[in-house]
């Protein structure tokens, strides 16, 4: 990433480091929220980077800046999903059955876990990703999403039950220490 003239400011350094060193990890993180859609994940990361760096905030380190970007990814995802849901509902009210797309228009997802995550509400999906993929505690998940601990715990419990039923696997206890990973069972061929 080239810069022309002048000296880079501290936020420029952190942004450059994030893009050079952590961009693929941020996109992978966003893909878990976007049901594996790479283009949507990249858009989500870009929107989050803009949201975080538009104010030219000062961060102690690139890692500190990355934490803000990860929180912004979740926030932007939830905001966009809410807007998209409203648009779909408005469209559904105006569409006639003859003009609605048929089942052939839907495209399957690549993995069982992506399929299972896709069945969750945006809040449930965000809670699961933050809890089991970011290794956050229930309290940290609640703080990250700006919701009450009880709401986060309920969302995790509901989502865990749905994932267990869909994947045919036991889900870890939501109060278990972080670093417990969710893995889809292996299928025999």
């Amino acid at each position: 990433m080239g810069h022309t003239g002048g000296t880079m400011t501290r936020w420029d350094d952190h942004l450059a480091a994030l893009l050079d060193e952590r961009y693929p990890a941020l996109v992978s993180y966003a893909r878990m929220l976007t049901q594996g859609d790479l283009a949507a994940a990249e858009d989500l990361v870009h929107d989050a980077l803009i949201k975080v760096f538009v104010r030219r905030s000062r961060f102690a380190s690139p890692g500190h800046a990355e934490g803000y970007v990860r929180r912004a990814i979740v926030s932007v995802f939830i905001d966009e999903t809410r807007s998209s849901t409203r648009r779909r509902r408005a469209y559904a009210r105006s569409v006639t059955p003859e003009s609605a797309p048929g089942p052939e228009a839907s495209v399957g997802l690549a993995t069982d876990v992506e399929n299972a995550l896709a069945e969750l509400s945006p809040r449930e999906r965000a809670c699961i990703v933050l809890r089991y993929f970011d290794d956050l505690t229930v309290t940290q998940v609640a703080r990250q999403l700006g919701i009450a601990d009880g709401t986060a715990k309920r969302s995790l419990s509901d989502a865990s039950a749905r994932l267990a039923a869909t994947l045919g696997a036991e889900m870890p206890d939501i109060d278990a220490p972080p670093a417990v990973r969710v893995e889809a069972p292996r299928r025999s061929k």
Side-chain angles (χ1 to χ4, degrees):
M1 174 172 222
H3 293 277
T4 56
T7 308
M8 285 185 7
T9 61
R10 190 157 180 81
W11 70 267
D12 281 339
D13 293 337
H14 294 318
L15 178 58
L18 263 176
L19 292 174
D20 291 342
E21 300 165 16
R22 301 297 299 157
Y23 183 76
L26 291 169
V27 170
S28 293
Y29 178 73
R31 281 185 80 175
M32 287 187 278
L33 296 169
T34 63
Q35 304 169 16
D37 184 336
L38 178 61
E42 288 175 336
D43 288 346
L44 193 55
V45 171
H46 294 166
D47 291 346
L49 286 166
I50 290 167
K51 185 175 182 177
V52 169
F53 284 96
V54 74
R55 291 184 219 106
R56 299 179 185 213
S57 300
R58 298 195 187 274
F59 300 105
S61 67
H64 186 235
E66 182 179 357
Y68 275 91
V69 171
R70 284 179 176 264
R71 282 190 291 277
I73 287 170
V74 174
S75 293
V76 170
F77 166 74
I78 289 173
D79 292 346
E80 287 179 357
T81 303
R82 286 178 182 154
S83 296
S84 175
T85 300
R86 276 192 276 291
R87 282 192 303 274
R88 273 196 313 270
R89 286 181 182 155
Y91 175 75
R93 287 190 301 266
S94 68
V95 123
T96 60
E98 301 84 46
S99 65
E104 66 279 356
S106 63
V107 178
L109 296 173
T111 67
D112 290 341
V113 173
E114 287 174 338
N115 285 329
L117 286 171
E119 293 178 13
L120 302 177
S121 72
R123 177 181 284 170
E124 289 173 338
R125 191 176 322 139
C127 284
I128 289 291
V129 169
L130 291 170
R131 175 68 180 99
Y132 297 110
F133 294 94
D134 260 4
D135 295 329
L136 300 182
T137 65
V138 174
T139 300
Q140 291 168 326
V141 168
R143 192 174 313 124
Q144 177 101 8
L145 295 176
I147 59 178
D149 286 7
T151 304
K153 196 167 191 171
R154 176 61 187 247
S155 295
L156 281 164
S157 177
D158 292 348
S160 294
R162 289 178 63 191
L163 287 173
T166 301
L167 296 172
E170 284 289 319
M171 291 295 293
D173 181 0
I174 60 173
D175 291 319
V180 176
R181 299 286 183 188
V182 176
E183 293 185 27
R186 300 240 183 240
R187 292 195 176 182
S188 57
K189 292 185 177 181

